[in-house]
Amino acid sequence: MKLLNQSIKHLSISILAIVTIWAIVFYFNMLNEIKSSIDEGLENYKRLIIQNAQQDSTILTKTYFDESFFAIQQINKQKALSVKDDYSDTVLYMQDADDTEPEAEPVRMLTTAFELNGKYYQLKVANSMVEEDDLVKELLYDIIWLYLSLILGIIFINNFVLKKLWKPFYDFLSQLKKYHLGKTEDLPKTKTKTKEFNDLQNVVTNLLAHTSQIYEHQKQFIENASHELQTPLAIATNKLELLIENGKLQNNQAQTIAEVMGIIERLVRLNKSLLLLTKIENKQFLNNQDVLINTVVKKNSSNLEEIAAFKKVKISVLETANLSTKMDPSLANVIVSNLLRNAIFHNIPNGNVHIEITNDTLKISNTGNNLKLDKNSIFNRFYKPNNASKGTGLGLAIVKAISDTYGFRVSYSYIDTLHCFLIKFPAN
Amino acid sequence: MKILVIEDEPQLLSNVKESLEKEKFLVETASDYHEAIDKLFIYEYDCILLDIMLPNGNGLQILSQLKAEEKSENVIIISAKDSLDDKLKGLELGADDYLTKPFHLAELNARVKAVLRRQKLNGKNTLQIANATLDLRERTFIVNNQKISLNRKEFDILNYFSLNLNRLITKSALAEHVWGDHSDNADNFDFVYYQIKNLRKKLQSANADIEIESVYGIGYKLIKK
């Protein structure tokens, strides 16, 4: 989730809580305020009624609430003395413009008692109150509006202000994403006055400088190791070649030399394969361009045509689409060549190799011995199911390393006596 | 033909020297940067074999100096670095070929001769051995004015042999040259044997005055009868 959205999420949740609590407090405060103001009115009303009753005794006979919102009832002295001014919420039946018949409406009622000419009366004065459910409803609408405008305001501010504040950060991040160790020369850089971003930039710059230094050292080391190993191997091979050419050798001596040469050959291949693997894993192949896999397959299968014919293996290619991907062309060649060679060499006489190319997969399946290979370890280095194989045991490990580098998915399956290798390329 | 070999490893240097001398080349050597520069600017050479990593300097520096002085020697870089960067840089600086260590002597021979031949033939690209002619441009093989049909690999093999006349080519050198770097299967040797067998039959039935001889079962040699 983006920082911007996260802050909006947190803000909207906390604002919702704050606004809700505020609304409840506000509601009760307002209700109290209304009541106390009505109570003051009722008190005043009471005084007026008692004053008027002194002049107009008919008022004392008004025992029901009708048009004038008060009722007087004579009571005995004892009861009257026990009465204190009491304000209460109750209901009276009234009818107003929007009612078809009288209905209970909330009122505030003052119950009190007074003495007039030696007689005691109970007085009830009522005043219509605000209807609480209406108040709640109104308040709720207002709160929702308030809440929505706050959120919209925050989104607006976030988008314009925070986006501007975070711009250096996103700038920096996008440069960092494009940064490729050993390939990008300039370190990511952005101009900002924000201290945190400057700190981040300094830390990242130091880290990258340190890492690329190590990377350079490692590259240097690999190259040196290669040099150190390749030269003695070259000397050994060449010396033996000269020895065979020059010497009058006996057959068994020549055989021994041939065997030693064979061993040196294996060392050479092993060294080359290991170097290739290291290079791939260090991502030193970065000459990426659009490669048409169809062409690579065709080139390799025509290259291996004669040897396939010699092994009595038939190669068929089915292209349902053009498969193009961005990668180093020499690595594309290594992948296809390794898989195709495996398919031809680990085959049976009169067997088949079938290659299928779709717009995002390359499938190479072949007949072979009826032993299912272990699909978990088949891509491991030096995995050899039967030790008879004179290969380096690195061919498939190289295929896997290249696939991992470019995000291809390579898998092995054994279906209907066919060994099948499938590479799934990322969709374009 | 004079060849200068610039290489700091004495054993490798002596191997290369010995092998090239078998081809009747006049071979001189230099084992560091200064010696190489001295020799290059005093004498003329037909071909230079150049190692990239040298004491006191770098092979690529030598190349740029040659280029600056407009000396047009044929240069073959011999490097332990199989790095595309160096390869491209070297070829850009005017090198004619790039050979990665370790290499077979037969391969080195073929590269040197190919470079020299390219220079000498000026476009005409045929090679005559006894009564046999290889036309490299048309990729045809003619014996006694009779065209012999060869498949692609057979032609490559014969061409490789012709560049190494009377020299041993081991089976693995042959396999590597014809099927590329990654050939790491014993089946390749059977296939080499099979191709050689076919080639011999074709040479024989065409009455060619050349033949492919087996050397201790390790490799082959093309000889004139």
Side-chain angles (χ1 to χ4, degrees):
Chain A
M1 199 186 232
K2 272 186 124 180
L3 187 76
L4 203 67
N5 299 339
Q6 281 200 44
S7 76
I8 289 174
K9 188 183 95 184
H10 288 298
L11 277 173
S12 36
I13 290 171
S14 33
I15 284 175
L16 184 63
I18 292 169
V19 165
T20 311
I21 293 169
W22 177 84
I24 293 166
V25 172
F26 175 75
Y27 171 75
F28 284 109
N29 277 344
M30 198 164 79
L31 212 56
N32 274 339
E33 205 50 50
I34 292 169
K35 277 180 186 171
S36 71
S37 126
I38 290 176
D39 290 354
E40 276 166 26
L42 286 174
E43 171 78 29
N44 183 41
Y45 207 13
K46 178 190 99 179
R47 282 169 204 283
L48 286 175
I49 290 166
I50 295 170
Q51 254 174 42
N52 288 350
Q54 282 168 349
Q55 284 141 32
D56 180 3
S57 60
T58 56
I59 289 174
L60 297 171
T61 61
K62 221 179 115 15
T63 48
Y64 296 110
F65 296 96
D66 357 302
E67 79 291 341
S68 56
F69 278 102
F70 69 92
I72 295 174
Q73 221 173 359
Q74 197 174 351
I75 48 171
N76 58 35
K77 185 186 176 187
Q78 214 174 4
K79 202 177 170 191
L81 287 178
S82 70
V83 170
K84 284 192 174 131
D85 282 10
D86 172 52
Y87 296 95
S88 63
D89 296 326
T90 177
V91 290
L92 278 182
Y93 279 85
M94 291 184 242
Q95 186 171 15
D96 49 34
D98 52 341
D99 297 333
T100 48
E101 53 185 49
E103 57 180 38
E105 296 278 353
V107 289
R108 187 77 177 162
M109 186 180 281
L110 166 63
T111 310
T112 185
F114 65 94
E115 187 252 323
L116 189 69
N117 304 330
K119 285 178 183 163
Y120 295 91
Y121 301 92
Q122 186 194 49
L123 171 63
K124 286 182 172 173
V125 191
N127 195 350
S128 75
M129 261 276 287
V130 58
E131 286 181 43
E132 281 181 36
D133 51 348
D134 282 352
L135 184 65
V136 169
K137 219 196 282 174
E138 278 303 314
L139 198 61
L140 189 68
Y141 284 137
D142 286 348
I143 294 295
I144 289 172
W145 277 115
L146 174 71
Y147 181 68
L148 286 180
S149 41
L150 277 175
I151 296 299
L152 283 175
I154 287 166
I155 290 175
F156 182 80
I157 291 166
N158 260 347
N159 271 325
F160 282 85
V161 179
L162 283 188
K163 241 186 196 164
K164 204 178 159 208
L165 281 177
W166 281 93
K167 193 178 173 291
F169 176 80
Y170 287 115
D171 258 9
F172 190 63
L173 190 68
S174 77
Q175 285 183 54
L176 209 52
K177 272 184 194 159
K178 284 182 209 138
Y179 184 83
H180 214 313
L181 198 59
K183 181 86 179 170
T184 318
E185 281 182 10
D186 297 329
L187 291 173
K189 206 170 189 169
T190 184
K191 262 202 166 150
T192 172
K193 283 178 185 153
T194 315
K195 184 181 173 296
E196 284 81 353
F197 295 158
N198 273 326
D199 285 353
L200 178 73
Q201 191 172 328
N202 287 340
V203 171
V204 170
T205 305
N206 285 340
L207 196 65
L208 284 183
H210 184 63
T211 312
S212 57
Q213 198 188 3
I214 292 176
Y215 177 74
E216 286 305 318
H217 283 176
Q218 196 190 356
K219 235 165 63 170
Q220 203 73 47
F221 175 77
I222 293 167
E223 276 171 11
N224 290 348
S226 141
H227 187 250
E228 297 307 321
L229 274 172
Q230 304 282 59
T231 309
L233 288 171
I235 296 168
T237 314
N238 298 349
K239 275 211 182 309
L240 291 177
E241 281 171 345
L242 288 170
L243 179 64
I244 297 168
E245 262 196 314
N246 296 345
K248 299 252 178 289
L249 298 173
Q250 284 169 1
N251 265 336
N252 58 345
Q253 291 171 321
Q255 273 319 305
T256 310
I257 293 172
E259 278 159 26
V260 176
M261 283 178 88
I263 291 165
I264 296 173
E265 282 299 320
R266 269 179 76 181
L267 276 176
V268 169
R269 283 196 300 266
L270 207 57
N271 192 36
K272 277 189 181 168
S273 302
L274 280 173
L275 280 171
L276 182 63
L277 253 183
T278 324
K279 275 183 170 181
I280 295 164
E281 282 171 3
N282 287 343
K283 301 196 183 353
Q284 285 179 27
F285 284 87
L286 293 163
N287 179 27
N288 293 342
Q289 43 187 274
D290 284 322
V291 175
L292 191 62
I293 298 297
N294 305 51
T295 319
V296 181
V297 167
K298 268 179 257 173
K299 199 185 88 194
N300 272 288
S301 62
S302 109
N303 226 357
L304 293 165
E305 199 173 39
E306 287 93 353
I307 201 154
F310 168 69
K311 298 260 311 171
K312 298 193 177 61
V313 170
K314 208 172 151 286
I315 303 178
S316 57
V317 184
L318 177 70
E319 297 170 76
T320 60
N322 275 342
L323 172 53
S324 170
T325 188
K326 221 174 177 57
M327 71 184 297
D328 186 286
S330 65
L331 291 186
N333 197 53
V334 170
I335 275 200
V336 173
S337 152
N338 281 6
L339 288 178
L340 200 52
R341 275 167 201 271
N342 272 349
I344 293 170
F345 287 120
H346 301 292
N347 216 314
I348 47 172
N350 301 316
N352 290 301
V353 173
H354 185 67
I355 307 167
E356 201 178 316
I357 306 170
T358 70
N359 65 340
D360 64 347
T361 58
L362 168 67
K363 191 166 103 178
I364 297 180
S365 45
N366 64 284
T367 48
N369 59 19
N370 293 330
L371 284 174
K372 185 181 191 302
L373 300 165
D374 180 2
K375 71 173 170 193
N376 292 318
S377 47
I378 189 167
F379 294 105
N380 289 350
R381 294 177 182 193
F382 306 114
Y383 170 78
K384 292 179 194 172
N386 48 346
N387 254 334
S389 160
K390 284 217 177 120
T392 52
L394 288 172
L396 287 175
I398 289 171
V399 169
K400 179 88 167 72
I402 296 172
S403 300
D404 288 348
T405 300
Y406 289 104
F408 309 157
R409 283 212 313 275
V410 57
S411 59
Y412 164 79
S413 56
Y414 182 70
I415 311 162
D416 298 337
T417 71
L418 285 179
H419 299 275
C420 171
F421 287 89
L422 179 78
I423 302 183
K424 189 152 186 347
F425 294 84
N428 281 344
Chain B
M1 290 276 190
K2 250 168 86 180
I3 296 181
L4 178 66
V5 185
I6 306 170
E7 163 67 57
D8 63 322
E9 174 61 48
Q11 303 241 40
L12 192 64
L13 194 59
S14 81
N15 286 346
V16 170
K17 188 167 188 270
E18 188 182 338
S19 169
L20 291 174
E21 278 169 348
K22 279 178 193 282
E23 298 289 328
K24 310 278 181 264
F25 289 121
L26 205 64
V27 183
E28 290 202 29
T29 61
S31 54
D32 72 4
Y33 177 80
H34 300 306
E35 196 185 346
I37 290 286
D38 286 349
K39 288 201 170 159
L40 276 173
F41 290 99
I42 297 172
Y43 308 106
E44 296 279 328
Y45 296 97
D46 297 289
C47 183
I48 298 159
L49 302 183
L50 179 62
D51 188 9
I52 286 195
M53 285 196 190
L54 287 172
N56 309 323
N58 184 303
L60 293 176
Q61 284 171 283
I62 295 180
L63 263 184
S64 6
Q65 290 217 29
L66 281 176
K67 201 178 179 186
E69 299 285 326
E70 292 181 351
K71 286 192 143 247
S72 62
E73 267 97 348
N74 297 301
V75 179
I76 297 174
I77 295 176
I78 298 174
S79 172
K81 283 196 204 169
D82 188 11
S83 110
L84 190 69
D85 264 6
D86 277 358
K87 204 175 226 166
L88 292 178
K89 222 179 279 167
L91 296 179
E92 212 169 87
L93 285 170
D96 297 84
D97 208 343
Y98 189 102
L99 187 59
T100 312
K101 286 182 203 169
F103 47 82
H104 295 282
L105 289 173
E107 185 65 37
L108 178 69
N109 237 337
R111 302 281 184 111
V112 170
K113 291 217 184 136
V115 161
L116 292 174
R117 191 158 77 180
R118 230 177 292 157
Q119 184 194 28
K120 291 269 136 57
L121 291 176
N122 291 332
K124 181 176 147 256
N125 221 345
T126 57
L127 187 75
Q128 185 83 36
I129 308 170
N131 62 347
T133 311
L134 272 174
D135 187 326
L136 298 175
R137 188 179 298 154
E138 305 290 327
R139 291 183 69 84
T140 50
F141 179 54
I142 298 153
V143 180
N144 296 329
N145 298 322
Q146 284 258 312
K147 207 163 142 186
I148 312 292
S149 91
L150 296 181
N151 72 30
R152 206 168 33 157
K153 297 293 171 194
E154 285 168 346
F155 186 87
D156 288 342
I157 292 171
L158 201 58
N159 184 24
Y160 195 36
F161 272 119
S162 75
L163 293 167
N164 280 290
L165 191 65
N166 295 321
R167 298 293 305 272
L168 164 78
I169 300 180
T170 60
K171 283 179 186 169
S172 70
L174 201 55
E176 199 177 301
H177 179 84
V178 183
W179 290 281
D181 229 9
H182 299 277
S183 44
D184 57 350
N185 267 288
D187 298 86
N188 278 329
F189 284 5
D190 297 338
F191 183 47
V192 166
Y193 174 73
Y194 169 78
Q195 295 280 336
I196 296 288
K197 204 175 76 181
N198 284 348
L199 206 49
R200 275 176 175 158
K201 259 189 232 160
K202 287 184 180 174
L203 289 177
Q204 214 163 23
S205 64
N207 287 321
D209 288 334
I210 50 175
E211 67 177 359
I212 299 169
E213 193 186 71
S214 268
V215 183
Y216 303 117
I218 296 172
Y220 304 95
K221 207 188 248 189
L222 184 72
I223 52 167
K224 289 184 196 167
K225 268 184 189 166

